[in-house]
Amino acid sequence: MREHIERVLFSAEEIQRRVRELGAQISRDYRNGGKKDPFGRPLLVVGLLKGALPFMADLIRNLDIPIHYDFMAVSSYRNGTSPGEVRVLKDLDCAVGRRDVLIVEDIVDTGHTLRHILRSLQAREPASLKVCTLLDKPYRREVAVPVDYVGFVVPENVFVVGYGLDYAELYRNLPFIGVLKPEYIREA
Ligand code: IMP
């Protein structure tokens, strides 16, 4: 798989260092007044499948506060549908009403996916709702979405793979994030 990568943007070590920083910052924020749940229940960390899985697994182990975690899966409009059409494939198992919720995403690109998820969760009236994304491409945004924690801004408009991010379902298991060689990108 590594020979398919043109260059590494974020090494495994850089990612782990940044995830530790994010974990420390999030723990601090929720300890220092960030929690709004009237019943004081643990922060609910919601991972978005499948891309956020490696990031989620590393991030939660760097959270030094009580948490619960759960997962959601949404269909990507990239699979031939329009940006308005984001469908929930797997919903949360638990209720989020009056809870503190932190969404964990792999990458925010146009913002359509995240906007859909935020609307869906906001309708359930959580006590607070925040977003943590490993990667951000702010220059690609088509709809404004609030992002509270960002691991890295992708410095240029390139398609990235690795550490959960895929191309045609491949490369999710790479421990780093890199750019695919053009010869491995097939036009649909
Ligand atoms: P958005 O709805 O355009 O913000 O896209 C969000 C989703 O698109 C992410 O959760 C990824 O699954 C996918 N995506 C966007 N950019 C990339 C990329 O550079 N590499 C891999 N997946 C991407």
Side-chain angles (χ1 to χ4, degrees), residues 29-47:
D29 290 353
Y30 282 95
R31 250 188 249 116
N32 299 333
K35 285 195 51 59
K36 308 290 181 207
D37 183 336
F39 304 105
R41 289 165 293 187
L43 173 68
L44 178 63
V45 184
V46 172

Side-chain angles (χ1 to χ4, degrees), residues 77-78 105-107 109-113 137 159-160 165-166:
Y77 58 86
R78 280 156 208 276
E105 177 55 306
D106 54 357
I107 184 166
D109 185 34
T110 64
H112 288 288
T113 306
K137 289 179 177 172
F159 191 81
V160 293
L165 292 141
D166 76 305

Side-chain angles (χ1 to χ4, degrees), residues 10 21 27 48 51-52 54 60 71 99 102 106 136 142 160 164 182:
F10 305 109
E21 287 172 3
S27 304
L48 299 184
I60 56 173
F71 293 96
R99 293 198 60 171
L102 176 68
D106 54 357
D136 193 6
E142 290 175 9
V160 293

Side-chain angles (χ1 to χ4, degrees), residues 77-101:
Y77 58 86
R78 280 156 208 276
N79 307 326
T81 55
S82 72
E85 292 178 57
V86 181
R87 274 189 315 121
V88 176
L89 302 176
K90 186 232 171 286
D91 209 335
L92 296 175
D93 294 332
C94 61
V96 305
R98 302 177 87 182
R99 293 198 60 171
D100 295 297
V101 179

